[in-house]
């Protein structure tokens, strides 16, 4: 293909939740190192299609879900199953089809991958109206279903669990349109350094319990520093990594308040090498976002869930606990008690690690990419076959 342009894979995502973006990055990375002569193009659909609405809507989403979670919970549950209300609300987000059509006409992708529900909706509408004829793949970035992920003209769904696959079938999605790969994680989770090397790199004592605390992409972690101060009540000193993400205020506060801790505390901001911290930790405390928990599962790292947000995180929690990958702390006191117990008795963690090995997700991005490539190939084959049929019909004077 030296004398012609590369094939294009268009990946549609959004920054409304870090998970959509992370999955898009994982797929883009997989395309770059696995598919020859193909260029992944990732677009934040809200930023492109709704440039004037995007800044304020992004701000309202992040502030609203933190300050008024009950409102988000109401809307999530109200639209969980397709109904007149969900259709009316969805129509607001499915505006901007003309802009999306222009983008597709300019890029001319071989396949469109959606990691954001409303992106999948716009692509489906364009296909239903006969404006585009491109294979579309939707990657659901949580372990739960919602009406806004499901559209009639989606060609393939990539899901994180067999339970979600079964749920989609109940909702009317054809079984052969659903592939279970795990939620895609980045290539680095396949290429982690040996644990003994990482223990030396981070100067970790292998005989001490190591706890990793993740606060979410925007630093959402309960009531701020109070939970971390409560960790001081754990009688045995432990090694503690606290990843504050983009929450610089929390990082600064913790550095001040925990400087005299009995524990070996490492406080970090945004961490590029999170797979290394997961590899050397015994337990992770986190919100149950689909991507973060998938990364933990790839590293066989048991999860203690604290402060779930309403909606999909509640559903993720149910799936993770039922599958034996995680358990829940219902209060700050409960969280401290559970950590203390696990410091003294690690048998439950060993059992959870074995459960995770059976549902390994290290290669999820590669497996998802195979689905995408196959969708693109099938479409090309169909179009080539149709072209041959039309040519034969024209030669013998038959019209369609």
């Amino acid at each position: 293909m030296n004398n012609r342009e590369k094939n294009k894979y268009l990946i549609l995502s959004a920054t409304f939740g870090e998970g959509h973006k992370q999955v898009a990055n994982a797929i883009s990375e997989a395309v770059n190192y696995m598919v020859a002569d193909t260029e992944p193009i990732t677009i934040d659909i809200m930023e492109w299609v709704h440039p004037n609405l995007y800044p304020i809507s992004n701000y309202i989403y992040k502030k609203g879900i933190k300050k008024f979670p009950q409102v988000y919970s109401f809307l999530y549950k109200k639209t969980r199953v397709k109904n007149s209300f969900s259709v009316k609300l969805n129509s607001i987000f499915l505006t901007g089809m003309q802009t999306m059509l222009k983008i597709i006409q300019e890029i001319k992708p071989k396949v469109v991958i959606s990691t954001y529900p409303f992106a999948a909706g716009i692509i489906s509408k364009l296909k239903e109206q006969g404006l585009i004829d491109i294979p579309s793949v939707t990657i659901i970035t949580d372990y739960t279903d919602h009406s806004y992920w499901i559209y009639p003209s989606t060609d393939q769904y990539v899901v994180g669990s067999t339970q979600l696959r079964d749920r989609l079938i109940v909702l009317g999605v054809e079984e052969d349109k659903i592939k279970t790969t795990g939620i895609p994680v980045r290539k680095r989770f396949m290429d982690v350094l040996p644990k003994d090397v990482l223990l030396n790199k981070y100067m970790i004592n292998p005989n001490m319990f190591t706890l990793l605390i993740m606060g979410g992409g925007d630093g959402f972690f309960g009531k701020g520093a109070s939970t971390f101060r409560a960790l001081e009540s754990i009688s045995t000193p432990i090694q503690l990594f606290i990843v504050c993400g983009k929450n610089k205020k929390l990082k600064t506060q913790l550095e001040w308040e925990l400087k005299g801790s009995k524990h070996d505390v490492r406080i970090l901001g945004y961490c590029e090498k999170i797979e290394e911290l997961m590899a050397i930790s015994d337990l992770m405390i986190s919100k149950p976002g689909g991507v973060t928990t998938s990364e933990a599962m790839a590293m066989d790292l048991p999860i203690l869930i604290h402060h779930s947000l309403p909606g999909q995180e509640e559903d993720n929690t149910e799936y993770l606990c039922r599958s034996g990958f995680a358990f829940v702390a219902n209060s700050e006191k409960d969280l401290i008690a559970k950590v203390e117990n696990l410091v003294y008795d690690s048998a439950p963690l060993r059992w959870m690690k074995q459960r995770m090995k059976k549902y390994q997700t290290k290669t999820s991005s590669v497996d998802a990419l195979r689905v995408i490539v196959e969708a693109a190939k099938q479409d090309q084959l169909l179009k080539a076959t149709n072209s041959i049929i039309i040519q034969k019909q024209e030669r013998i004077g038959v019209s369609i």
Side-chain angles (χ1 to χ4, degrees):
M1 293 183 69
N2 293 332
N3 297 321
R4 55 194 178 104
E5 290 187 1
K6 290 183 176 182
N7 291 325
K8 306 290 196 307
Y9 282 11
L10 178 59
I11 306 169
L12 303 178
S13 187
T15 52
F16 285 62
E18 190 72 13
H20 307 301
K21 177 183 174 183
Q22 292 291 352
V23 169
N25 290 342
I27 294 300
S28 176
E29 182 184 62
V31 172
N32 279 326
Y33 74 83
M34 283 194 64
V35 187
D37 299 316
T38 300
E39 177 186 0
I41 299 175
T42 302
I43 286 178
D44 185 320
I45 189 170
M46 294 299 291
E47 188 173 4
W48 277 73
V49 175
H50 302 289
N52 297 322
L53 181 62
Y54 170 75
I56 185 64
S57 59
N58 193 33
Y59 177 83
I60 291 173
Y61 168 80
K62 291 182 177 180
K63 292 297 181 182
I65 200 170
K66 186 176 182 181
K67 298 292 185 181
F68 306 104
Q70 66 277 11
V71 175
Y72 181 83
S73 178
F74 169 80
L75 292 173
Y76 179 86
K77 293 175 181 177
K78 187 74 173 177
T79 58
R80 177 71 179 269
V81 177
K82 188 175 181 180
N83 53 57
S84 58
F85 177 78
S86 70
V87 171
K88 288 178 182 178
L89 186 61
N90 197 19
S91 64
I92 298 173
F93 294 98
L94 296 187
T95 57
M97 289 176 56
Q98 287 300 318
T99 303
M100 191 72 253
L101 180 59
K102 290 178 181 178
I103 292 171
I104 289 174
Q105 289 172 337
E106 180 179 340
I107 294 175
K108 297 181 177 61
K110 295 296 182 181
V111 63
V112 179
I113 305 106
S114 299
T115 70
Y116 184 61
F118 299 115
I122 291 176
I123 296 302
S124 181
K125 286 289 184 182
L126 289 172
K127 294 183 72 170
E128 288 171 50
Q129 295 181 16
L131 297 173
I132 62 172
D133 183 20
I134 304 168
S136 62
V137 179
T138 292
I139 303 177
I140 299 180
T141 58
D142 286 291
Y143 293 103
T144 186
D145 63 279
H146 192 282
S147 65
Y148 288 167
W149 282 110
I150 304 170
Y151 299 96
S153 294
T154 298
D155 296 299
Q156 286 288 325
Y157 292 88
V158 172
V159 301
S161 70
T162 56
Q163 289 90 333
L164 179 52
R165 179 204 64 195
D166 294 343
R167 177 62 183 161
L168 293 187
I169 292 171
V170 169
L171 293 172
V173 179
E174 298 171 37
E175 186 173 357
D176 62 355
K177 286 187 173 184
I178 311 167
K179 299 297 186 295
T180 306
T181 68
I183 297 174
V185 298
R186 292 162 293 176
K187 180 178 180 290
R188 63 184 62 177
F189 286 86
M190 292 188 285
D191 304 323
V192 183
L193 292 170
K195 186 173 181 178
D196 57 342
V197 174
L198 294 175
L199 291 174
N200 288 329
K201 176 179 177 178
Y202 290 94
M203 294 182 289
I204 292 296
N205 181 349
N207 299 315
M208 286 181 69
F209 189 91
T210 302
L211 176 63
L212 172 64
I213 301 181
M214 300 278 290
D218 293 285
F220 299 159
F221 200 97
K223 299 177 182 178
S226 65
T227 300
F228 303 103
R229 289 194 298 268
L231 291 168
E232 286 301 304
S233 64
I234 297 174
S235 56
T236 302
I238 64 173
Q239 293 162 134
L240 178 61
F241 287 100
I242 302 174
V243 180
C244 300
K246 300 173 184 177
N247 194 331
K248 295 180 181 179
K249 181 179 178 181
L250 177 61
K251 181 176 183 292
T252 301
Q253 182 182 1
L254 292 178
E255 287 172 342
W256 171 255
E257 296 197 15
L258 299 181
K259 63 182 179 180
S261 173
K262 74 170 75 168
H263 306 304
D264 180 0
V265 181
R266 327 282 180 90
I267 302 171
L268 308 171
Y270 182 78
C271 183
E272 274 291 336
K273 295 289 185 179
I274 196 64
E275 72 281 0
E276 294 185 349
L277 300 185
M278 289 183 172
I280 58 178
S281 296
D282 297 298
L283 175 69
M284 178 179 77
I285 298 176
S286 176
K287 299 188 319 94
V291 174
T292 299
T293 53
S294 294
E295 291 173 346
M297 289 166 61
M299 303 310 300
D300 303 326
L301 177 61
I303 307 160
L304 177 54
I305 296 170
H306 189 45
H307 284 302
S308 298
L309 291 172
Q312 61 267 34
E313 287 196 2
E314 291 175 332
D315 293 341
N316 287 346
T317 296
E318 182 181 352
Y319 163 74
L320 293 165
C321 292
R322 186 174 63 246
S323 301
F325 309 146
F327 46 101
V328 176
N330 295 312
S331 66
E332 188 176 279
K333 183 178 179 180
D334 186 34
L335 182 143
I336 299 303
K338 281 185 165 66
V339 174
E340 180 99 46
N341 290 337
L342 292 169
V343 170
Y344 286 101
D345 180 12
S346 61
L349 297 181
R350 291 195 297 273
W351 179 84
M352 293 173 77
K353 284 177 176 288
Q354 289 302 316
R355 290 284 298 170
M356 287 179 165
K357 287 182 185 298
K358 294 180 181 180
Y359 298 88
Q360 189 57 261
T361 58
K362 275 186 169 65
T363 62
S364 53
S365 61
V366 174
D367 297 334
L369 181 60
R370 288 195 180 102
V371 176
I372 294 165
V373 171
E374 186 62 26
K377 285 182 178 179
Q378 288 295 328
D379 182 73
Q380 291 171 10
L381 179 62
L382 179 62
K383 288 177 179 177
T385 302
N386 288 340
S387 177
I388 293 171
I389 292 172
I390 291 171
Q391 290 173 14
K392 288 183 177 179
Q393 290 171 336
E394 288 175 347
R395 284 200 296 271
I396 62 176
V398 178
S399 61
I400 298 178

Coordinates of all heavy atoms in Angstrom, one line a residue, residues 76 79-83 140 144-152 157 159 163-175 178:
Y76 N -30.8 7.2 35.2 CA -30.3 5.9 34.7 C -31.3 4.8 34.8 O -31.5 4.1 33.8 CB -29.1 5.6 35.6 CG -28.4 4.3 35.2 CD1 -27.4 4.2 34.2 CD2 -28.8 3.1 35.9 CE1 -26.8 3.0 33.9 CE2 -28.2 1.9 35.5 CZ -27.2 1.8 34.5 OH -26.6 0.6 34.2
T79 N -34.3 5.2 32.3 CA -34.0 4.9 30.9 C -33.3 3.6 30.7 O -32.9 3.3 29.6 CB -33.0 6.0 30.4 OG1 -31.8 6.1 31.1 CG2 -33.7 7.4 30.4
R80 N -33.2 2.8 31.8 CA -32.6 1.5 31.7 C -33.2 0.6 30.6 O -32.5 0.0 29.8 CB -32.7 0.8 33.0 CG -32.1 -0.6 33.1 CD -30.6 -0.6 33.0 NE -30.0 -1.9 33.1 CZ -29.6 -2.5 34.2 NH1 -29.8 -1.9 35.4 NH2 -29.1 -3.7 34.2
V81 N -34.5 0.6 30.5 CA -35.2 -0.2 29.5 C -35.8 0.8 28.6 O -36.3 1.9 29.0 CB -36.3 -1.1 30.1 CG1 -37.1 -1.8 29.0 CG2 -35.7 -2.1 31.1
K82 N -35.8 0.5 27.3 CA -36.4 1.5 26.3 C -37.9 1.8 26.6 O -38.7 0.9 26.7 CB -36.2 0.9 24.9 CG -36.6 1.9 23.8 CD -36.3 1.3 22.4 CE -36.6 2.2 21.3 NZ -36.3 1.7 20.0
N83 N -38.2 3.1 26.6 CA -39.6 3.5 26.9 C -39.7 4.9 26.2 O -38.8 5.4 25.7 CB -39.9 3.5 28.4 CG -38.9 4.3 29.2 OD1 -38.7 5.5 28.9 ND2 -38.3 3.6 30.2
I140 N -19.1 -2.2 24.8 CA -19.8 -1.8 26.1 C -18.7 -1.7 27.2 O -18.1 -2.7 27.5 CB -21.0 -2.7 26.4 CG1 -22.0 -2.7 25.3 CG2 -21.6 -2.3 27.8 CD1 -23.2 -3.6 25.5
T144 N -22.7 -4.1 32.5 CA -24.2 -4.1 32.6 C -24.8 -3.5 31.3 O -24.1 -2.9 30.5 CB -24.6 -3.2 33.8 OG1 -26.0 -3.2 33.9 CG2 -24.2 -1.7 33.5
D145 N -26.1 -3.8 31.1 CA -26.8 -3.4 29.9 C -27.5 -2.1 30.2 O -27.8 -1.7 31.4 CB -27.8 -4.4 29.5 CG -28.9 -4.6 30.5 OD1 -28.6 -5.4 31.5 OD2 -30.0 -4.1 30.4
H146 N -27.8 -1.3 29.1 CA -28.7 -0.1 29.2 C -29.2 0.1 27.8 O -28.5 -0.2 26.8 CB -27.9 1.1 29.7 CG -28.7 2.3 30.1 ND1 -29.3 3.1 29.1 CD2 -29.1 2.7 31.3 CE1 -30.0 4.0 29.7 NE2 -29.9 3.8 31.0
S147 N -30.4 0.6 27.7 CA -31.1 0.8 26.4 C -30.2 1.7 25.5 O -30.3 1.6 24.3 CB -32.5 1.4 26.6 OG -32.4 2.7 27.2
Y148 N -29.4 2.6 26.1 CA -28.7 3.5 25.2 C -27.5 2.9 24.5 O -26.8 3.5 23.7 CB -28.2 4.7 26.0 CG -29.4 5.7 26.4 CD1 -29.2 6.7 27.3 CD2 -30.6 5.6 25.7 CE1 -30.3 7.6 27.6 CE2 -31.7 6.4 26.1 CZ -31.5 7.4 27.0 OH -32.6 8.2 27.3
W149 N -27.2 1.6 24.9 CA -26.1 0.9 24.2 C -26.7 0.1 23.0 O -25.9 -0.3 22.1 CB -25.4 -0.1 25.1 CG -24.4 0.5 26.1 CD1 -24.5 0.7 27.4 CD2 -23.1 1.0 25.7 NE1 -23.4 1.2 27.9 CE2 -22.5 1.5 26.9 CE3 -22.4 1.2 24.5 CZ2 -21.2 2.0 27.0 CZ3 -21.1 1.7 24.6 CH2 -20.6 2.1 25.8
I150 N -28.0 -0.1 22.9 CA -28.5 -1.1 22.0 C -29.3 -0.4 20.9 O -30.2 0.3 21.1 CB -29.5 -2.1 22.8 CG1 -28.7 -2.8 23.9 CG2 -30.0 -3.1 21.8 CD1 -29.6 -3.5 24.9
Y151 N -28.9 -0.7 19.6 CA -29.5 -0.1 18.5 C -29.6 -1.1 17.3 O -28.7 -2.0 17.2 CB -28.7 1.1 18.0 CG -28.6 2.2 19.1 CD1 -27.5 2.3 19.9 CD2 -29.6 3.1 19.2 CE1 -27.4 3.3 20.9 CE2 -29.5 4.1 20.2 CZ -28.5 4.2 21.0 OH -28.4 5.1 22.0
P152 N -30.6 -1.0 16.5 CA -30.9 -2.1 15.5 C -29.9 -2.3 14.4 O -29.7 -3.4 13.9 CB -32.2 -1.6 14.9 CG -32.3 -0.1 15.2 CD -31.6 0.0 16.5
Y157 N -21.5 -6.5 18.8 CA -21.3 -6.0 20.2 C -20.1 -6.7 20.8 O -20.0 -7.9 20.7 CB -22.5 -6.2 21.1 CG -23.7 -5.4 20.6 CD1 -24.6 -5.8 19.7 CD2 -24.0 -4.1 21.2 CE1 -25.7 -5.1 19.3 CE2 -25.1 -3.4 20.8 CZ -25.9 -3.9 19.9 OH -27.0 -3.2 19.5
V159 N -18.5 -7.4 24.5 CA -18.9 -7.3 25.9 C -17.9 -7.9 26.9 O -17.1 -8.7 26.4 CB -20.3 -7.9 26.2 CG1 -21.4 -7.2 25.3 CG2 -20.3 -9.4 25.9
Q163 N -22.5 -13.0 31.3 CA -23.7 -12.6 31.9 C -24.3 -11.4 31.1 O -25.5 -11.4 30.8 CB -23.5 -12.2 33.3 CG -23.2 -13.3 34.3 CD -21.8 -13.6 34.4 OE1 -21.0 -13.4 33.5 NE2 -21.4 -14.1 35.6
L164 N -23.5 -10.5 30.6 CA -24.0 -9.4 29.8 C -24.4 -9.9 28.5 O -25.4 -9.4 27.9 CB -22.9 -8.3 29.7 CG -23.2 -7.1 28.9 CD1 -24.6 -6.4 29.3 CD2 -22.1 -6.0 29.0
R165 N -23.6 -10.8 27.9 CA -24.0 -11.4 26.6 C -25.4 -12.0 26.7 O -26.3 -11.7 25.9 CB -23.0 -12.5 26.2 CG -23.4 -13.2 24.9 CD -22.8 -14.5 24.8 NE -23.3 -15.4 25.8 CZ -22.8 -16.6 26.2 NH1 -21.6 -17.0 25.6 NH2 -23.3 -17.3 27.1
D166 N -25.7 -12.7 27.8 CA -27.0 -13.4 27.9 C -28.1 -12.3 28.1 O -29.2 -12.5 27.6 CB -26.9 -14.3 29.2 CG -26.0 -15.5 28.9 OD1 -25.6 -15.8 27.8 OD2 -25.6 -16.2 29.9
R167 N -27.8 -11.3 28.8 CA -28.7 -10.2 29.0 C -29.1 -9.5 27.7 O -30.3 -9.3 27.5 CB -28.2 -9.2 30.0 CG -29.1 -8.0 30.3 CD -30.4 -8.4 30.9 NE -31.3 -7.2 31.1 CZ -32.6 -7.3 31.3 NH1 -33.2 -8.4 31.3 NH2 -33.3 -6.2 31.4
L168 N -28.1 -9.3 26.8 CA -28.4 -8.7 25.5 C -29.3 -9.6 24.7 O -30.2 -9.1 24.0 CB -27.1 -8.4 24.8 CG -26.2 -7.3 25.4 CD1 -25.1 -7.0 24.5 CD2 -27.0 -6.0 25.7
I169 N -29.1 -10.9 24.8 CA -29.9 -11.8 24.0 C -31.3 -11.8 24.5 O -32.3 -11.7 23.7 CB -29.3 -13.3 24.2 CG1 -28.0 -13.4 23.5 CG2 -30.3 -14.3 23.6 CD1 -27.2 -14.7 23.7
V170 N -31.5 -11.7 25.8 CA -32.9 -11.5 26.4 C -33.5 -10.3 25.8 O -34.8 -10.2 25.6 CB -32.8 -11.5 27.9 CG1 -34.2 -11.1 28.5 CG2 -32.4 -12.9 28.4
L171 N -32.7 -9.2 25.6 CA -33.3 -7.9 25.2 C -33.5 -7.9 23.7 O -33.9 -6.9 23.1 CB -32.3 -6.8 25.6 CG -32.3 -6.5 27.1 CD1 -31.2 -5.5 27.4 CD2 -33.6 -6.1 27.6
G172 N -33.2 -9.0 23.0 CA -33.5 -9.1 21.6 C -32.3 -9.0 20.6 O -32.5 -9.0 19.4
V173 N -31.1 -8.9 21.1 CA -29.9 -8.8 20.3 C -29.6 -10.2 19.8 O -29.6 -11.2 20.6 CB -28.7 -8.2 21.0 CG1 -27.5 -8.2 20.1 CG2 -29.0 -6.8 21.5
E174 N -29.3 -10.4 18.5 CA -29.0 -11.7 17.9 C -27.7 -12.2 18.5 O -26.7 -11.5 18.6 CB -28.9 -11.6 16.4 CG -30.2 -11.2 15.7 CD -30.1 -10.9 14.3 OE1 -29.3 -11.6 13.6 OE2 -30.7 -9.9 13.8
E175 N -27.7 -13.5 18.9 CA -26.6 -14.1 19.5 C -25.3 -14.0 18.7 O -24.2 -13.7 19.3 CB -26.9 -15.6 19.8 CG -25.8 -16.2 20.7 CD -26.2 -17.6 21.1 OE1 -27.3 -18.1 20.8 OE2 -25.3 -18.3 21.8
I178 N -22.9 -10.9 19.2 CA -22.3 -10.6 20.5 C -21.1 -11.4 20.7 O -21.1 -12.6 20.5 CB -23.3 -10.8 21.6 CG1 -24.6 -10.2 21.3 CG2 -22.7 -10.3 22.9 CD1 -25.7 -10.7 22.3

